[in-house]
Every structure is written in structure tokens, then in C-alpha cells.
Amino acid sequence: MGDEEKDPKLPIPGKRNILITSALPYVNNVPHLGNIIGCVLSADVFARYCRLRGYNTIYICGTDEYGTATETKAMEENCTPKQICDKYHAIHKDVYKWFDISFDKFGRTSSPQQTEVCQLIFKKLLDNNWLSENTMQQLYCDTCKRFLADRLVEGTCPTKDCDYDSARGDQCEKCGKLLNPTELKDPRCKVCHTTPRIRDTDHLFLELPLLKDKLEAYINHMSVAGSWSQNAIQATNAWLKEGLKPRCITRDLKWGVPVPHEKYKDKVFYVWFDAPIGYISITACYTPDWEKWWKDPENVELYQFMGKDNVPFHTVMFPSTLLGAAENWTLMKTISVTEYLNYEAGKFSKSKGVGVFGNDARDSSIPTEVWRYYLLTNRPEVSDTLFTWADLQAKLNSELLNNLGNFINRVLSFIAKPPGSGYGSTIPDASGAESHLLTKTLTEKVGKYVEQYLEAMEKVKLKQGLKTAMSISSEGNAYLQDSQFWRLYKEDPASCSIVMKTSVGLVYLLASLLEPFMPSFSVEVLKQLNLPPETLSLCDEKGDIDKARRPWDIIPSGHKIGTPQPLFKELKDETVEFYREKFAGSQADRIVKAEAEAQKIAEQMKKTKVSDGTGKKQRQSKPAAEDKPKATELEVSVSRLDIRVGLIKKVQKHPDADSLYVEEIDVGEELPRTVVSGLVKYIPLEEMQNRKVCVLCNLKPATMRGIKSQAMVLAVSNDDHSKVHLSTNFSILVEALNHTSPLTLRKLPFTCCSCNFQAILLPKWALHLGNFDYLTAD
């Protein structure tokens, strides 16, 4: 992911040194598209832009792992907080990798560096007298026998005209107001749903009122110098207007950074205090010289990206913490804040499982660059925006396919045509381009667009930057049409050469301008141009865009291009309707629906018969008239099954399904196959390691809970499936297939699917109403 394997970058004197962070995603669920556009994707676009400009840039992020939400999720899944963090960190990292997020470091807040840096800052605040002790009233659950942290309490929001009945103890999701749990009306424990009572408990507080002058001086200066987004300024001013109050920094929890204070040694730091420090500790994981980035405000510019509900923590809390620590910290220069991305008729919600999640996008047939483009054109910069499948289809088909893809394919396909109808894939000369009237008009427009693009991107107006870049593609299409190059080729070859050499320069320019938004698109364009990816650049650090005004000079005459290919595919109505239906409702609704479909297929499988490939029918102990094959039944030959003995090289539990294993199995090919098996409740993990198994290899690969399975592990069981055995004895499997053994050959992809059809149970993803065309070879 990104450049994590390269040597760490450090600030360089005399250059622009840009430190970029995005709000640390919490590890209690899979990120949805609203999370992705609000934080990591927006920051990634800006980081890629900065690198193209030649700025010395690092992009830091990671998973936020401490706090109540992790403990709550661990209780739900009956495991430890550490196991939850390991599971969801891997899921987040995989999703962001698929989305082409170019982190320089994607770390975790549960690292030793986090404890070290967090305790260091705490001690500075304590030494500088910015902390106070106080007794506070906190809700205590007699049933659970514990103080309830904020997120373990739900109730009705006390804010006038809100009255949201599922407000959390720390913040109302509806109106955004920060709360204390004791302020909630009709509070209830989120674990046992009983009403908690109020008890006294001692805690440490950060004295925000004492830091008010320092904080306001910072905000007044930097909000202007850093061109803070308007929604960030409004949220910050609302907080200041309400009046700063001492803020508790400790919690009665076990999962978190321990407080290095004798009186409070059984408590941990509150997540709002320790999570932003994660930016610093993850940088410390990136380089031991992290202070060169975080303690040099004169030479480092800090840009931070987040959703609007995170603003006060980054404009008030975190700066106050660093100002109080008083070590010349690098404070945020620019904050870029998004509003909410809503989904179809409602809101994206991690907790309720509503919307399209990162793994859903990854498992769809829609490419990464299309998802990135749609989210960024729909980025909620000044107000909430709406994700709809119809809008995604329209933007893909009209803007990417018919505008951008059409322009690039027309240019490259014409150049690739053989001499006599094209240029034999060789870039022609363009003598006299400066005086070619149509080209001169075009390049004046393009030069202005590039200036507007740079201005928008420098101000982190990403949506405007993308729109401006796409305008150049529209100008390119108009230029081709107005020039009528297909006529010029015969009637005015010199002018045609100018048009095509200018146009291929525009293709390169578009690949550069759009690389921050659609990096995989740009890689493919450069491949078709037969240019290495590292050639991409926008302009020098001073902003010189001379090549944008002379696009005919970008790619030299005589250069051989690669093979043109269509860059985008049409998204059809039936596909859109399929996805709209598939992702309707909540994740829980979808699981119920999938299980119902599995049962339906299981019933149909009972009608399917298995033969041994010799033409003989299976032997039956007591033939009965009702057992004769019906006209609708399908007979499957065992000879079509490619069964091999493989070695499990690696196995682990599926990160998103408690009943599944994910194995890497050597079946005698160059690379091991990834296989997903529903054997968790039958065979212990240690018994799966480094053992031989029979593997059915000629099934169409299919995705199971986000991981593509490339084969099937075969097992035998007794009639009631209370005992399951992984056998490497091929004859036992053949006997089972021929139904001469009391053992039954089974595949266990889902514990909810326990059906049999005769001797072999194939997973629902390998079947199509009993049609064995899903077997990929005879």
C-alpha cells in the first residue's frame, strides 16, 4: 500500500514539506463509501497531487484501535479487543489497497510508540499545570458491574428540537452535539439495556479554559493563513461561542493507553485525547526521526482531512493538547472537511450496516477508478450529497466512457492505424503548430484550465479540480470534431499531423491531471502511450505550466505508442438494478436474503444425481419408484471433477466470517491457491496447519465474504455431520462419490447450509440451479 517499503522521507530544507493525515478510521467495522470519501480518499488525492508537483510529501494514517467501541465489538463477537483490532485492521488495509490509497504509512494506535508518545505528552501537560483532578458523576451499570464509558450508553438527546432516541453518550449522531452520558434522557446500558445509576469517580481533566488565549490566537491566524474550509470554521466557532470547559482525558476502561500516574494507574486515556496523538505515533513507526516532521512548524505544513463530526477534536482539542505540551509542535495549517454522503433514500451507517461498504465495492464488477471518480465528483464539500446507482451509471457512461474514454481512444486508435489510414503507431511531426489557428485557440483554453486546476488543488477544492480536468477532455473532443482530422489526413496532412500530435499531448496531460483522482486509469493510459509511469508530472514547484500551453511538444515525434484499448465499459441498466437490489436494506437484511437463496438452491440440488463417468448408475440398496430420475434432474459425471491432493501451506480464520477458514494450498502449480472453507466448527485451526487435503480444482473462482476462493477442500462426514474428516485417501472419496461408502462427501462453505444432494455437496456459489457449467474443465 503506497510507499511503505521505501526509505522514509524527511523534511528537506528549502522545499515545500507537506505532512498529510486523514482521520483515523475506527476498527469496529468495515469502512463504507461515506467514510472513504470523507477521510482517506480525499487525503490520497491531495497527497498524489503534491507528489506530482514535486513537493516533499508524506501521507500518514492508520486504524484507531482503543476505546469503548472496540470493547463493545469484542463482546459482540466473543473475542478479545486485540483480536478485533487485528481482524479489522487487516480488513481496512485490504480495502484501502484496493482503492489505490497511497499511504506512506498505514499504522495502528495500539503500538508501543503510541503508549510512549501519549504518555510523554501527558507528562508535559502535567508538568506545565494544564491538568486538574475532579470527581465526576458517571453512569454505573449494576448488572454489568462496571462504569459505562460514553459509547456504552444510549438515550434521548437533550438538545432542544432534536430528541434523537439513539444518541450516544459522547455525541448525538443526528444533531452532532457533543454530550456527557449523564445529560442523556432515559439512558440505557448498550450491553444489557437496563437503566444505569449515577456514581462518583475521580478523573483527570485538560483545562481548556486556561488554554483559551493560546488556542484562539492559533485559530484566528491559521484559519485564514491555511484557508480552512467554511464548515470547519463554523464548527470551531460554534464550539468557542459555547464556551470552553475542562475536558476529561481519562476513562474507567482496560483497553487503552495506561495513565502513568499512581492514583489513576487503573484508568486509560480517553480516546479523544489519545487518538489524534496516533498521527504522531504512526509517524514514529514510519521513521525514528519523527520529530523532524512534528516539531518543525516553520518548515512543515500539516494538512488534515476528516468528516464534519471530527472537527472540534482537530481544531480545539488536539491543538490545545500540543499548545499545552509547549514543545514547538507542528500544528495543523489546513483542514479539509466533508459533509455527509447519503445513500439512496437514507444515510450510510456503519453501526446499522446501511449502504455500500468498501468490500462491497471491491467485490463488484465496477473498477477502482470508476468508484474513485464517482465518489470524488460527488464529494460533499459544502453540503450533504447523495449516492445513487443511477447517478453512478450516468457519470460512468456519459463522463468517463463517452467523454474521456472516447477522446483518448479516438486519438490513439487513429495514430495506431497503418500508414495510408493512420500513422503506424508513430507520433508524427507537428511543424508550424504555433501558428495553427484552431490549435492556438485550444491551447489558450487548456492553459487557463490548468491554471484553474492548480489553483483549486492548492486550496484543496478537489471536486473543482476534477471538474476542471474533465473540461480539458471535453475541449479535446471538440477540437477533434472541429478539425475534422479524418478529412485533413487526405486533404491537409501537415495540419492533421499538428492536430494528432497536439491531441496525444492532451492525452498525456489528462493522464497527469487525473492521476491524483484515478491512478489506475493513468497507469493504463501511459501503458497505451508506451511511457513509464514515473514520467508523469504537472509542472515544476514554481508552477510553470509551459508544456500545457504547448501540448504538441510533450511527446516527441517518432515515438512509438502501445496498443490502444477501450478504457471504460458501459454500465448497463440491468447491472445497475442488480446492485441496487443487492445493496438494499441493511447488512443483516442481506444475510437473511442470502441464506434464503442458499436454501432454495439446496432444495434444487436434492434433485441432482451423480454418476461415476462410466455410464453406470449409482448403486442403491432399495430402489424405489419415487427415486427414479425425473425429467428435470441433472446427472453429473464424477470424471469431470479435477480432484488433487494439496498441501495447506498457511491457514487463518476469515477476517469477516467466524465460521470460515482461509487457506493457501499448494496443488502443484506455480502459486498456491486461496481457498475458503466452512470448517471452523468441525476442525481446530492447529489441525489444519501443514496437512494434505483433497482439493476440487475446477470450480469457477468465487468471492466468499470478501475473499476470492479458487477451489474447494473436500471432507467426509458421518450421516448427521457430527464428525468431519479431511481425508487424503483418494479411494475413500471415490467410494463416497460412487455412494458405496457410508461416508458422505461434503463441502462446508457456510454453516447455515447443511443440505446434501446424493453424495456431494457443492457450495451455492458453484452452482446455477443445478447447472454444472460452473465446473471449468473436464
Side-chain angles (χ1 to χ4, degrees), residues 590-608 746 749-757 761-765 767 769-770:
R590 296 171 206 165
I591 290 171
V592 171
K593 185 177 177 182
E595 289 179 354
E597 290 173 356
Q599 186 60 40
K600 181 179 177 182
I601 291 174
E603 291 299 319
Q604 290 166 328
M605 287 306 95
K606 292 178 180 179
K607 302 173 183 178
T608 308
R746 304 188 68 242
F750 297 108
T751 55
C752 66
C753 185
S754 57
C755 53
N756 252 337
F757 77 90
L761 171 67
L762 293 173
K764 63 180 182 183
W765 48 262
L767 304 168
L769 302 179

Side-chain angles (χ1 to χ4, degrees), residues 24 60 108-109 114 273-283 318:
L24 307 182
I60 299 296
R108 317 175 61 165
T109 60
Q114 174 75 356
F273 177 80
D274 105 89
I277 294 172
Y279 302 129
I280 302 171
S281 72
I282 293 168
T283 311
F318 189 39

Side-chain angles (χ1 to χ4, degrees), residues 27-31 73 77 79-95 108 359 362-363 587 650-664 674-677 680 685 703-709:
V27 288
N28 63 335
N29 209 329
V30 182
K73 191 70 172 178
E77 299 196 13
C79 61
T80 66
K82 175 70 164 59
Q83 288 171 322
I84 283 289
C85 293
D86 290 345
K87 170 182 173 177
Y88 284 103
H89 176 80
I91 290 171
H92 276 259
K93 194 166 185 177
D94 186 49
V95 166
R108 317 175 61 165
N359 54 338
R362 180 192 61 202
D363 298 337
Q587 289 173 316
K650 180 182 176 182
V651 63
Q652 62 186 13
K653 284 191 177 181
H654 194 299
D656 201 27
D658 294 336
S659 62
L660 304 181
Y661 285 130
V662 180
E663 306 107 11
E664 299 291 328
T674 300
V675 181
V676 181
S677 304
V680 170
L685 182 66
T703 301
M704 300 174 70
R705 300 299 291 270
I707 295 179
K708 187 170 284 187
S709 185

Side-chain angles (χ1 to χ4, degrees), residues 406-407 410 436-443 445 473-489 491-492 495-496 499-500 503:
N406 178 59
F407 170 68
R410 285 179 81 186
H436 188 262
L437 185 59
L438 188 64
T439 300
K440 186 178 179 182
T441 302
L442 168 79
T443 53
K445 290 180 181 177
S473 175
S474 300
E475 292 294 343
N477 274 312
Y479 175 63
L480 290 179
Q481 209 61 30
D482 292 345
S483 71
Q484 298 190 17
F485 63 93
W486 57 94
R487 288 186 179 176
L488 291 179
Y489 186 77
E491 299 170 7
D492 189 352
S495 291
C496 188
V499 169
M500 297 319 295
S503 296

Side-chain angles (χ1 to χ4, degrees), residues 282-440:
I282 293 168
T283 311
C285 294
Y286 171 68
T287 171
D289 295 319
W290 61 270
E291 291 185 347
K292 293 183 178 179
W293 284 105
W294 281 99
K295 293 184 179 180
D296 189 4
E298 290 77 22
N299 294 304
V300 175
E301 301 170 53
L302 174 58
Y303 285 75
Q304 299 197 287
F305 290 77
M306 68 207 64
K308 64 180 177 182
D309 52 346
N310 263 320
V311 170
F313 300 107
H314 290 78
T315 61
V316 177
M317 307 289 204
F318 189 39
S320 295
T321 300
L322 297 182
L323 287 167
E327 286 189 292
N328 198 34
W329 290 92
T330 301
L331 299 178
M332 176 181 64
K333 174 188 175 185
T334 298
I335 182 171
S336 180
V337 177
T338 56
E339 303 290 312
Y340 292 132
L341 175 69
N342 295 321
Y343 179 68
E344 293 281 348
K347 288 179 68 173
F348 276 96
S349 172
K350 279 201 304 182
S351 58
K352 296 173 183 174
V354 175
V356 180
F357 287 70
N359 54 338
D360 298 328
R362 180 192 61 202
D363 298 337
S364 73
S365 60
I366 301 170
T368 301
E369 60 267 25
V370 175
W371 285 108
R372 285 180 63 115
Y373 178 81
Y374 179 67
L375 291 173
L376 289 159
T377 59
N378 219 13
R379 184 174 186 250
E381 292 183 358
V382 295
S383 61
D384 292 357
T385 57
L386 185 65
F387 173 104
T388 70
W389 287 100
D391 189 36
L392 185 148
Q393 178 190 29
K395 284 187 165 58
L396 167 53
N397 293 347
S398 64
E399 297 174 17
L400 292 179
L401 179 63
N402 294 338
N403 177 4
L404 180 64
N406 178 59
F407 170 68
I408 293 173
N409 196 251
R410 285 179 81 186
V411 173
L412 300 187
S413 295
F414 190 77
I415 291 172
K417 287 181 178 179
S421 55
Y423 296 94
S425 296
T426 302
I427 304 297
D429 189 24
S431 301
E434 296 93 334
S435 57
H436 188 262
L437 185 59
L438 188 64
T439 300
K440 186 178 179 182

